[in-house]
């Protein structure tokens, strides 16, 4: 297929810091940027050498020079923007969480499917070489039967991102929709297993306002019987991220791997001792865009599909419900 031509919806930090570079690294062309503010769109276009800017969605979606859109607005806007893009016949790569409700997410995915369009969810951590190495090691039986997983994803939200995430519930703020949704997707991918129930407690450690949680610890039960523990926060400056899977014949200890950067390592510990897995690091977002572009060209599917977006969202929403009610909550993965 010839060059994929993209329209960007949202003058976001993630677009500026990662996705524009990832699209261009894959030979993609960025034809236009849309923002709710014409000034913001024009400034963003100038800063990132994007030829066209607009504040009107139908203007961006009505152009013939766009094949696909990348949507990275705040979460409450994803639904209508995905539906409009699908109606206009554009392939869609949408940021996580796909939406604020499962019904909305299902409608978005269904619309893209009906129109024969590729839809991906930008769950970048599936693209990390560390997580792919762990998935392969488990499939190869290196740790025997997986029994437990532990996800350490407590970070410090940098000042320039201390906006809607910590004070705007209606935009889908809070650490669960922001970070736990990624844990859920990464666990589902690495374990190749699906969670069925969750318990959780949340906390407010000084950042979250308007009742938004800025910390959470949760326990998920998977279909295989495995238990997984997640610890996510916006408020910890000095913690290390990690992802561990412990089986009856070995353990995989991933360190510094719940991150946007291609880094981290994975140690395998068994009766034979310890060894580092060989990790061929690659930019996570470049890989995400590559697989999406390949899918548009008819080869394979996005790293995380729209259906994955629904399933991972359902885990996050169930986690929030479990924390609210104090009860173990069933997870419904119906897409
Ligand atoms: P930002 O907070 O940087 O931007 C979100 C929106 O805020 C923009 O789309 C923009 O609206 C608006 N905005 C930007 N600057 C201003 C301003 N000066 N005044 C008022 N509004 C402004 O978002 P993030 O990049 O942090 O997140 C965007 C999406 O991407 C979310 O869905 C998030 O969950 C997801 N995300 C995913 C990551 C991943 O690794 N997969 C990592 C980080 C975020 P407009 O478009 O109208 O200009």
């Amino acid at each position: 297929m010839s060059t994929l031509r993209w329209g960007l919806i949202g003058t976001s930090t993630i677009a500026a810091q990662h996705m524009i570079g990832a699209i261009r690294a894959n030979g993609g062309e960025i034809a236009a940027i849309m923002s709710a503010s014409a000034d913001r769109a024009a400034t963003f276009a100038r800063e990132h050498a994007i030829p066209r800017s607009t504040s009107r969605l139908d203007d961006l979606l009505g152009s013939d020079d766009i094949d696909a859109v990348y949507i990275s607005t705040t979460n409450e806007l994803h639904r209508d923007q995905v539906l409009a893009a699908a109606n206009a016949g554009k392939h869609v790569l949408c940021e996580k969480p796909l939406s604020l409700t499962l019904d909305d997410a299902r409608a978005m995915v269904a619309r893209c499917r009906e129109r024969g369009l590729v839809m991906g969810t930008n769950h970048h951590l599936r693209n990390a070489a560390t997580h792919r190495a762990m998935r392969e090691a488990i499939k190869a039986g290196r740790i025997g039967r997986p029994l437990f997983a532990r996800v350490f994803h407590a970070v410090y939200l940098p000042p320039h991102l201390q906006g809607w995430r910590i004070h705007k519930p209606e935009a889908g703020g809070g650490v669960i929709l922001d970070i736990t949704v990624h844990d859920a997707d990464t666990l589902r991918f690495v374990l190749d297993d699906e969670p069925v129930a969750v318990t959780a407690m949340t906390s407010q450690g000084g950042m979250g306002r308007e009742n938004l949680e800025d910390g959470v610890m949760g326990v998920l039960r998977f279909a295989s019987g495995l238990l997984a523990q997640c610890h996510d926060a916006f408020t910890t400056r000095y913690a290390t991220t990690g992802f561990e899977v412990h089986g009856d014949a070995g353990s995989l200890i991933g360190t510094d791997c719940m991150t946007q950067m291609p880094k981290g390592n994975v140690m395998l510990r068994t009766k034979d001792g310890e060894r580092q897995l060989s990790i061929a690091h690659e930019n996570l977002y470049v890989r995400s865009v590559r697989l999406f572009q390949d899918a548009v060209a008819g080869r394979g599917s996005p790293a995380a599909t729209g259906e994955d977006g629904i399933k991972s969202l359902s885990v996050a929403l169930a986690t929030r419900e479990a924390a609210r009610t104090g009860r173990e909550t069933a997870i419904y993965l119906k897409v």
Side-chain angles (χ1 to χ4, degrees):
M1 168 168 173
S2 53
T3 307
L4 196 68
R5 300 163 306 172
W6 290 80
L8 305 187
I9 300 177
T11 61
S12 65
T13 307
I14 178 80
Q17 292 187 346
H18 295 282
M19 292 301 286
I20 290 175
I23 289 170
R24 290 180 172 151
N26 279 289
E29 176 189 324
I30 301 173
I33 169 80
M34 181 252 158
S35 162
S37 143
D39 283 350
R40 211 154 54 225
T43 305
F44 196 90
R46 208 168 40 249
E47 286 173 357
H48 298 283
I50 298 170
R52 217 150 40 77
S53 68
T54 178
S55 60
R56 292 186 34 224
L57 188 59
D58 55 356
D59 182 20
L60 182 119
L61 295 175
S63 28
D64 291 337
D65 65 349
I66 289 174
D67 309 303
V69 294
Y70 166 60
I71 296 175
S72 63
T73 47
T74 49
N75 305 325
E76 82 284 17
L77 301 174
H78 296 173
R79 177 194 61 187
D80 289 353
Q81 291 167 342
V82 168
L83 293 175
N87 289 343
K90 312 297 184 194
H91 302 286
V92 177
L93 179 57
C94 184
E95 270 306 340
K96 45 50 66 172
L98 278 188
S99 58
L100 304 188
T101 71
L102 282 180
D103 283 348
D104 286 351
R106 289 187 187 115
M108 294 152 72
V109 173
R111 186 73 56 89
C112 289
R113 199 188 304 126
E114 283 155 23
R115 304 283 159 124
L117 298 163
V118 172
M119 180 173 173
T121 310
N122 204 28
H123 277 301
H124 63 296
L125 289 164
R126 283 174 180 246
N127 294 290
T130 45
H131 296 128
R132 287 187 285 124
M134 282 192 266
R135 177 180 159 105
E136 277 170 28
I138 292 168
K139 284 208 180 298
R142 301 257 187 278
I143 62 167
R145 179 180 164 215
L147 298 172
F148 299 99
R150 301 196 290 212
V151 184
F152 309 96
H153 205 169
V155 297
Y156 187 72
L157 192 65
H160 67 279
L161 293 183
Q162 292 176 18
W164 57 271
R165 279 181 176 79
I166 57 171
H167 64 67
K168 213 168 165 192
E170 66 277 18
V175 77
I176 293 175
L177 283 183
D178 200 48
I179 297 184
T180 310
V181 72
H182 276 313
D183 299 353
D185 195 70
T186 313
L187 283 162
R188 293 182 48 248
F189 172 73
V190 171
L191 300 169
D192 198 10
D193 195 359
E194 296 292 358
V196 294
V198 58
T199 63
M201 286 188 191
T202 55
S203 62
Q204 282 189 306
M207 249 190 224
R209 284 176 267 151
E210 306 295 336
N211 266 336
L212 281 175
E213 80 288 347
D214 56 26
V216 61
M217 285 189 171
V219 178
L220 298 161
R221 186 194 315 283
F222 278 71
S224 65
L226 174 143
L227 294 181
Q229 154 193 319
C230 298
H231 173 206
D232 307 320
F234 287 151
T235 46
T236 54
R237 288 175 194 262
Y238 306 107
T240 305
T241 72
F243 190 107
E244 300 178 355
V245 188
H246 303 278
D248 58 9
S251 287
L252 288 162
I253 320 270
T255 307
D256 206 13
C257 55
M258 299 302 285
T259 152
Q260 297 181 292
M261 306 310 288
K263 62 178 189 175
N265 52 63
V266 182
M267 193 245 292
L268 171 65
R269 186 184 290 148
T270 66
K271 65 177 176 28
D272 300 323
E274 294 181 350
R275 79 174 172 85
Q276 294 290 327
L277 297 190
S278 147
I279 307 288
H281 285 297
E282 177 184 1
N283 182 301
L284 283 64
Y285 299 97
V286 170
R287 187 172 185 276
S288 172
V289 171
R290 187 174 75 240
L291 267 59
F292 181 87
Q293 292 199 171
D294 284 351
V296 170
R299 297 185 299 271
S301 56
T305 60
E307 285 80 2
D308 287 313
I310 298 174
K311 290 180 180 176
S312 299
L313 174 64
S314 73
V315 180
L317 292 175
T319 302
R320 211 169 59 176
E321 182 64 7
R324 190 184 68 77
T325 60
R327 296 215 176 92
E328 180 172 322
T329 302
I331 298 168
Y332 296 104
L333 294 169
K334 186 169 89 61
V335 296

